[in-house]
Amino acid sequence: MNHALPRLSWRLAIALGLGWAAAPVHADALTAVQVLREGGCGGTVPAAAPLHHDALLDRAAAHWAAGLSLAAAAERSGYQAQSTAALHVTGPESSLVPMLKQSGCRTLAAPGLRDIGVYRRGADTWIVLASPDVLPARAQAPLLASRTLELVNEVRARGAHCGNRSFGPAPPVRLSGTLAGVALGHAADMAQHNYFEHQDLAGRTPADRVRAVGYKEKLVGENIAYGPKSADEVVQGWLDSPGHCENIMDPRFAEMGIAYAPGQRSAARHGLYWVQVLAAPAQG
């Protein structure tokens, strides 16, 4: 029997465009930004660590100056960003510190930003700042699986509202290595072939994949997601979606497998693919 199979996809990238901008690198602009960050914008905000100059963001700044959106400019440059911010100012380089302090110092001093690129043309300076899109390493998989199990069993223990349906407390589920292998196989296949569906390219359903490894089931459910980088985020996303939440809260499920796989860097989707397989094993 194949249970409801909702899917979920969301991205984490944030783009904050503050004006029009992008840009070849200029030491004075880089120095101005570092001075403002390290000085907390003259003591008005907490000091922030220096930024790393990244040539790809210089290219992104140039694309922004040429008229691309900030998100498109970052993508065109080849920089894989989790979040971006940008500023465009006009005036002599000797006035960059007061201009930047007045027009966007809080943006420049944001502690989550890590890298910077600059482009200058004539009297205009475009500055792009970003934090890289860092995916969890494969070595973190056991910890993420344990955390996912903890979160799932916490909500099953207290009950939950899934859209218009209410679920009372449900027995805990346990991790299954077999189901984890099934989940990893599907996550890796979606990542490798750049698709996002419950049915794989061979036409197999989640139940088909579970049976193919010799697992005898009464009931199978699957949740998938694209984008989250932590167990907390992916579970919360599923709980916020009624169909996914119902799978998690179904008291008939007793075992769970969870896995993730990074998409191809050259593909449109290069973040994490998540797969959660839930099952009720057949008795006897």
Side-chain angles (χ1 to χ4, degrees), residues 29-282:
L30 292 173
T31 300
V33 172
Q34 304 292 29
V35 166
L36 290 169
R37 281 179 65 87
E38 293 176 22
C41 296
T44 60
V45 297
L51 296 167
H52 170 259
H53 173 220
D54 192 301
L56 292 179
L57 289 181
D58 291 343
R59 190 181 306 168
H63 288 314
W64 191 33
L68 291 183
S69 69
L70 180 57
E75 184 175 356
R76 177 78 63 86
S77 75
Y79 184 96
Q80 304 293 341
Q82 180 180 32
S83 61
T84 56
L87 289 169
H88 174 210
V89 294
T90 301
E93 288 184 299
S94 59
S95 300
L96 279 175
V97 169
M99 285 191 299
L100 290 171
K101 182 178 180 180
Q102 180 180 8
S103 65
C105 198
R106 289 182 178 274
T107 298
L108 296 178
L113 298 171
R114 296 289 180 268
D115 300 324
I116 182 172
V118 177
Y119 178 77
R120 185 167 176 86
R121 186 177 63 223
D124 292 286
T125 301
W126 292 265
I127 300 171
V128 174
L129 309 103
S131 58
D133 190 7
V134 180
L135 301 179
R138 172 50 52 190
Q140 294 179 261
L143 290 177
L144 289 175
S146 295
R147 177 59 177 162
T148 303
L149 180 70
E150 178 184 11
L151 293 167
V152 166
N153 281 335
E154 281 179 0
V155 71
R156 284 173 68 92
R158 65 175 181 265
H161 294 284
C162 301
N164 295 324
R165 295 188 63 187
S166 294
F167 287 79
V173 294
R174 57 185 177 272
L175 285 177
S176 162
T178 300
L179 295 180
V182 173
L184 179 58
H186 188 46
D189 191 61
M190 288 193 294
Q192 180 180 355
H193 297 103
N194 193 32
Y195 72 98
F196 186 65
E197 300 290 343
H198 290 289
Q199 183 170 299
D200 62 29
L201 298 182
R204 296 180 303 175
T205 67
D208 293 332
R209 292 190 289 273
V210 166
R211 295 171 192 140
V213 297
Y215 187 101
K216 299 186 184 302
E217 94 296 340
K218 291 192 299 183
L219 187 69
V220 172
E222 181 181 82
N223 287 337
I224 63 177
Y226 168 75
K229 296 182 180 65
S230 70
D232 291 65
E233 185 181 2
V234 74
V235 171
Q236 188 59 55
W238 282 331
L239 292 175
D240 290 340
S241 172
H244 298 83
C245 179
E246 290 177 17
N247 269 353
I248 288 174
M249 292 305 302
D250 194 318
R252 296 172 294 177
F253 290 134
E255 296 190 332
M256 180 189 86
I258 184 78
Y260 61 87
Q264 303 295 313
R265 283 289 178 180
S266 59
R269 291 192 177 101
H270 53 262
L272 288 182
Y273 290 80
W274 293 79
V275 177
Q276 179 191 39
V277 179
L278 296 148

